[in-house]
Amino acid sequence: MDTSGYGNDNYESLHNAASDDELVDIIAGATLDFSITDDVPPLDPEYSLGHDAYTNGKTGNTKLMDLLDEPVPGVGTYEDFNTIDWVREKSKDRDRHREITSKSKLSTPALLESISDAFSGWLLMLLIGLWSGALAGGIDILAHWLTDLKEGLCLSGFWYDHEHCCWGSNETTFQERDKCPEWQSWAELLGGSSVGASAYIVDYLMFIIWALLFAFLAVILVRAFAPYACGSGIPEIKTILSGFIIRGYLGKWTLIIKTVTLVLAVSSGLSLGKEGPLVHVACCCANILCHLFTKYRKNEAKRREKYAAAGVSYYFPLKTLWRSFFAALVAAFTLRSINPFGNSRLVLFYVEFHTPWHMVELVPFVLLGIFGGLWGAIFIRANIACTYFSVLEVLVVTGATALLSFPNSYTRMSGSELISELFNDCSLLDSSQLCGYISSPDNSNTIPDRPAGPDVYTALWQLALALVFKMLITVVTFGMKVPSGLFIPSMAVGAIAGRLLGVGMEQLALNHHDSAIFKSWCSPGADCITPGLYAMVGAAACLGGVTRMTISLVVIMFELTGGLEYIVPLMAATMTSKWVADAFGREGIYEAHIRLNGYPFLEPKEEYGSKALAQDVMRPRRSDPPLAVLTQEGMSVGEVEAMVADTDYSGFPVVVCQESQRLVGFILRRDLVISLENARQRQEGVVSASLVFFTDHVPAQPTSGPPAVKLRGILDLSPFTVTDHTPMEITVDIFRKLGLRQSLVTHNGRLLGIITKKDVLKHMAQMANRDPDSILFN
């Protein structure tokens, strides 16, 4: 039987692990500390540890232990790097809800408890929305301040960024709105002058020094305090939502370090964004707040509902939709109150184009989709080959980024600032270099037909260089051991390409408005083409090519820009980019990183076309040893413990007897070990010779022999089973839709083998000509 589907801890490691030592301590009467694994539900602290419940009055005769009556701490919980049992978790919640509902009819306190239980989900989403919104606003404000700190300092208050520093100044001009006496560059502060070669060198060196300092602090904090805080977090969040346990990944230390280092990493100027890591931050908030409510603290499936509401969707019940909407409303209200963008709007890149798009423009929009698809496919393959682990490598990439980005104004600015500049629709009052068009003297009150001036051509050359730089540096940046998102860098690449194409189309329409392509809808002197729209469509195309998102991407772009009337161009480019990228490989960047790390994740969109049967995938194979099983009666405690010690399986089928192999149920290794340890500690007279029973009724035992141990209460009497001739295509769908961790294989009710989630993943990898042994948590 393949043990990788369950875990690799043997019997001794279960006793030696820190969490299980604490578990034994609580069984013996000690206090359990949960300060380390703060994202794992604690055991029930109300459980009594005395021995009086196991004796019959004055006689002291031992009562037969029955876990149906007295729950044992730790039973029903999961090991680290293991998969939860969705069916069992949902059954536990259903039983809990029925019990609360039945009790609510008996007394007023019970009724109030029932109302509180029903309201707890809404209260939890309120808290998640408030906390996530506040953190998102704070991260954005701090990132802006530290980014501007690389270029200078505000004399009126060092806590002001460049924009806010000059807001209250009376000495700014329209042409130079970003210059005011209150804001001084490092050259002015250190050398007294802002012009000349020496001033340029001082600003250049300070820019690099601050970038290296921020990156160094970020990578050191991640390595020293929270290694799980690196990366975007979305591949791991998707894996956790699918039922995998990664203790500490959503803990308080990860939240603190991720928040701090995300600000530092973005401020360092690395080609990364903060939108992906914010999903991880929101899920950390959800996990920590879930521990305030028993309903969610003790149920892994219920907690994942809240993770889905706070982050990405894998397990998303319908009732969670409204609570997610409520949490988003609260987060948006909180963000609006903080106003981190300084424009009283909730969108990061608000657009207000003055010219509608025409059907003819769908052709260049599709071309942008093709570019986005090609870029996505190339980026994924190149990025998977580039992974960085050491502090030195992070500093080298940061130094190279700062060194090469400073001379070009479009690479020097932050990613969000660059995208805002590219999305901008030039007006008569715009002083941007991209808007340096030649104005007509007799048309001073309207937008001219915009022949490009020298400033526009200079900007185009700079953007062309910025496009090459962004494409190369993003490949080696994403995946480094600092918090790193991919939305902003991918959008920046697409926005640059889109702006270049948009300006080209604009000048083409200007100089050839009499041609058949433009004559019917673009009259002379009219402003027919909007380059900012092309930038927005290009951003969506590249982001779609990298992530393979479609519907959600269009919604995200609408959320980021507020441009509802441009949904059709966005849809055309997004679908084209997906089709083109899928021609080179169906995996998005997050799925590729899931596979790279060996996470046990069943991708819902992955197709399976094998004609294999369940018996072809199950364990044991013909050459393997027989299946390790327990019998429902007749085995001693010593024999059970020996079987656990000799194997590293995470669960054992229970059969009627070895001869018949008729299936009775399934028991988890962790539950079995904890229960036997508990029986030895608390049930008087239990020794290795004591018999273990998984039956309802225990036969009468000799008075001279040791007492028996009844473990019927921890036995899963309804394990999911398939027959040996069940097609694997159906079996895979069952694993996906029910979230199974294992399925037993039978033939006419007789147990033949077992299929685990990792068996399914290994088989699918083998069918795709990939290494099946790569499916394990790295």
Side-chain angles (χ1 to χ4, degrees):
M1 183 169 66
D2 184 10
T3 65
S4 61
Y6 296 110
N8 295 323
D9 295 332
N10 58 24
Y11 182 77
E12 293 300 325
S13 66
L14 281 170
H15 292 285
N16 294 333
S19 58
D20 289 314
D21 283 342
E22 295 165 354
L23 180 62
V24 175
D25 288 339
I26 194 174
I27 294 172
T31 301
L32 187 58
D33 180 17
F34 296 97
S35 59
I36 298 176
T37 56
D38 55 348
D39 62 338
V40 180
L43 308 180
D44 190 354
E46 300 175 357
Y47 182 71
S48 173
L49 299 176
H51 291 273
D52 294 341
Y54 293 89
T55 58
N56 293 328
K58 298 178 181 179
T59 62
N61 294 330
T62 303
K63 177 183 176 181
L64 184 64
M65 179 180 176
D66 191 343
L67 295 177
L68 289 173
D69 301 327
E70 300 268 356
V72 176
V75 170
T77 60
Y78 301 94
E79 291 289 337
D80 200 7
F81 308 141
N82 221 315
T83 304
I84 71 170
D85 190 330
W86 289 92
V87 177
R88 182 171 72 168
E89 295 299 302
K90 296 302 292 183
S91 298
K92 283 166 51 179
D93 182 66
R94 206 162 37 241
D95 295 340
R96 183 198 60 80
H97 185 266
R98 287 172 182 167
E99 182 180 359
I100 292 177
T101 303
S102 61
K103 288 182 178 179
S104 65
K105 302 175 183 178
L106 303 178
S107 64
T108 301
L111 177 61
L112 294 176
E113 181 185 356
S114 176
I115 296 174
S116 173
D117 181 77
F119 183 71
S120 63
W122 293 99
L123 177 59
L124 177 58
M125 298 312 298
L126 172 66
L127 297 175
I128 292 173
L130 288 172
W131 198 1
S132 302
L135 284 177
I139 288 171
D140 193 81
I141 292 172
L142 288 174
H144 273 98
W145 174 59
L146 290 181
T147 299
D148 289 346
L149 189 63
K150 294 187 300 182
E151 299 184 1
L153 193 66
C154 184
L155 300 182
S156 59
F158 73 90
W159 54 88
Y160 289 126
D161 60 22
H162 194 165
E163 183 179 6
H164 289 82
C165 184
C166 294
W167 266 7
S169 177
N170 296 322
E171 301 183 36
T172 57
T173 63
F174 176 78
Q175 288 77 15
E176 297 181 338
R177 284 171 287 181
D178 59 341
K179 293 185 179 180
C180 62
E182 290 80 6
W183 179 268
Q184 292 194 3
S185 66
W186 290 110
E188 292 177 289
L189 290 170
L190 300 177
S193 174
S194 60
V195 295
S198 59
Y200 184 84
I201 293 174
V202 170
D203 287 336
Y204 204 156
L205 290 176
M206 291 301 297
F207 185 87
I208 296 175
I209 290 171
W210 279 112
L212 290 173
L213 177 62
F214 294 155
F216 177 76
L217 290 175
V219 70
I220 287 297
L221 288 173
V222 167
R223 287 175 62 92
F225 297 102
Y228 283 152
C230 67
S232 70
I234 291 183
E236 289 78 11
I237 295 298
K238 293 182 70 171
T239 306
I240 290 172
L241 285 176
S242 71
F244 197 57
I245 301 286
I246 309 178
R247 292 187 179 178
Y249 199 84
L250 301 178
K252 62 178 182 293
W253 269 113
T254 302
L255 173 63
I256 294 171
I257 300 302
K258 186 95 175 188
T259 303
V260 174
T261 55
L262 176 57
V263 174
L264 293 170
V266 172
S267 304
S268 69
L270 287 168
S271 184
L272 48 82
K274 55 182 177 293
E275 284 65 32
L278 281 175
V279 172
H280 188 185
V281 168
C283 288
C284 288
C285 295
N287 176 73
I288 294 171
L289 291 171
C290 278
H291 285 76
L292 301 177
F293 302 88
T294 306
K295 175 180 179 179
Y296 299 100
R297 183 175 70 249
K298 295 184 177 182
N299 194 291
E300 293 284 352
K302 295 295 291 182
R303 283 218 305 281
R304 276 156 178 75
E305 291 180 11
K306 304 310 168 191
Y307 300 163
V312 292
S313 174
Y314 180 91
Y315 172 64
F316 204 74
L318 183 60
K319 65 180 179 180
T320 308
L321 176 64
W322 290 109
R323 293 178 180 176
S324 303
F325 178 79
F326 176 67
L329 174 65
V330 173
F333 173 78
T334 306
L335 197 64
R336 174 65 177 81
S337 302
I338 298 174
N339 191 23
F341 308 132
N343 55 11
S344 299
R345 296 189 176 98
L346 288 175
V347 296
L348 182 58
F349 310 115
Y350 180 75
V351 297
E352 192 174 5
F353 300 137
H354 301 88
T355 305
W357 63 279
H358 194 269
M359 291 294 292
V360 175
E361 293 182 276
L362 283 177
V363 175
F365 293 155
V366 169
L367 291 177
L368 286 174
I370 295 173
F371 171 79
L374 292 173
W375 153 246
I378 295 172
F379 172 82
I380 292 172
R381 294 193 178 187
N383 179 254
I384 292 300
C386 300
T387 54
Y388 293 88
F389 302 95
S390 70
V391 177
L392 179 62
E393 288 167 325
V394 173
L395 294 180
V396 168
V397 174
T398 304
T401 302
L403 185 68
L404 297 175
S405 65
F406 186 85
N408 190 333
S409 60
Y410 291 110
T411 54
R412 186 191 314 172
M413 62 180 64
S414 66
S416 57
E417 187 180 356
L418 172 62
I419 295 172
S420 297
E421 178 83 2
L422 297 171
F423 283 7
N424 180 38
D425 183 26
C426 295
S427 64
L428 289 173
L429 301 178
D430 207 311
S431 60
S432 170
Q433 189 178 20
L434 276 170
C435 300
Y437 294 93
I438 301 174
S439 301
S440 175
D442 57 347
N443 197 19
S444 57
N445 294 326
T446 59
I447 300 176
D449 53 0
R450 308 206 296 190
D455 285 348
V456 174
Y457 288 112
T458 301
L460 293 181
W461 277 110
Q462 290 179 337
L463 284 177
L465 294 174
L467 177 62
V468 176
F469 171 75
K470 282 287 185 181
M471 292 175 68
L472 294 177
I473 205 67
T474 303
V475 168
V476 298
T477 301
F478 182 72
M480 290 196 307
K481 297 309 176 184
V482 293
S484 56
L486 192 59
F487 275 44
I488 293 298
S490 298
M491 290 178 64
V493 170
I496 294 173
R499 188 77 185 201
L500 292 173
L501 180 61
V503 174
M505 286 291 296
E506 179 188 50
Q507 297 306 303
L508 186 65
L510 171 67
N511 297 315
H512 300 84
H513 56 76
D514 292 331
S515 65
I517 299 176
F518 301 105
K519 186 175 182 179
S520 61
W521 60 281
C522 185
S523 58
D527 186 22
C528 306
I529 305 293
T530 305
L533 173 59
Y534 283 72
M536 186 173 73
V537 173
C542 281
L543 187 55
V546 170
T547 63
R548 309 299 165 86
M549 294 189 298
T550 51
I551 299 173
S552 57
L553 175 58
V554 173
V555 174
I556 288 172
M557 292 302 300
F558 167 60
E559 290 174 345
L560 289 175
T561 62
L564 180 61
E565 62 269 30
Y566 303 108
I567 278 186
V568 173
L570 291 173
M571 292 172 64
T574 301
M575 288 304 301
T576 303
S577 68
K578 176 173 171 55
W579 288 333
V580 172
D582 283 350
F584 296 91
R586 302 187 65 86
E587 285 184 332
I589 184 63
Y590 300 124
E591 290 76 23
H593 274 267
I594 287 174
R595 179 170 57 83
L596 176 67
N597 292 318
Y599 298 146
F601 179 77
L602 272 173
E603 173 58 50
K605 297 178 292 185
E606 188 174 357
E607 296 180 358
Y608 179 85
S610 173
K611 296 182 180 180
L613 303 177
Q615 63 182 1
D616 301 324
V617 181
M618 73 176 188
R619 304 288 178 167
R621 301 289 176 85
R622 289 185 177 88
S623 58
D624 293 340
L627 190 66
V629 298
L630 301 172
T631 57
Q632 66 177 355
E633 58 183 40
M635 294 186 71
S636 66
V637 170
E639 291 173 335
V640 173
E641 290 178 340
M643 177 177 290
V644 173
D646 293 339
T647 61
D648 54 6
Y649 308 144
S650 282
F652 300 93
V654 178
V655 297
V656 174
C657 61
Q658 292 287 355
E659 291 75 20
S660 70
Q661 292 288 305
R662 297 292 178 181
L663 182 64
V664 175
F666 190 84
I667 189 169
L668 294 178
R669 174 197 186 91
R670 180 180 176 86
D671 293 353
L672 183 61
V673 170
I674 292 173
S675 300
L676 291 177
E677 185 70 32
N678 186 72
R680 283 184 177 272
Q681 292 282 338
R682 299 178 52 208
Q683 188 174 351
E684 189 176 310
V686 172
V687 293
S688 297
S690 299
L691 296 180
V692 178
F693 290 89
F694 296 96
T695 56
D696 275 327
H697 303 287
V698 177
Q701 302 297 309
T703 55
S704 60
V709 177
K710 184 179 178 183
L711 299 181
R712 178 80 168 186
I714 61 172
L715 180 64
D716 181 6
L717 296 171
S718 57
F720 201 91
T721 61
V722 296
T723 67
D724 52 340
H725 285 86
T726 303
M728 276 304 297
E729 187 174 5
I730 296 176
T731 305
V732 170
D733 275 342
I734 292 172
F735 270 85
R736 282 173 176 162
K737 295 175 180 178
L738 294 182
L740 299 181
R741 61 183 295 173
Q742 75 274 321
S743 175
L744 300 175
V745 182
T746 62
H747 177 76
N748 294 333
R750 185 174 182 270
L751 179 66
L752 292 183
I754 187 170
I755 300 177
T756 69
K757 184 177 182 180
K758 288 184 181 177
D759 290 330
V760 173
L761 287 165
K762 287 185 174 183
H763 175 70
M764 295 178 70
Q766 195 171 13
M767 296 301 298
N769 295 320
R770 299 197 303 263
D771 180 16
D773 292 329
S774 66
I775 308 298
L776 62 111
F777 183 81
N778 183 3

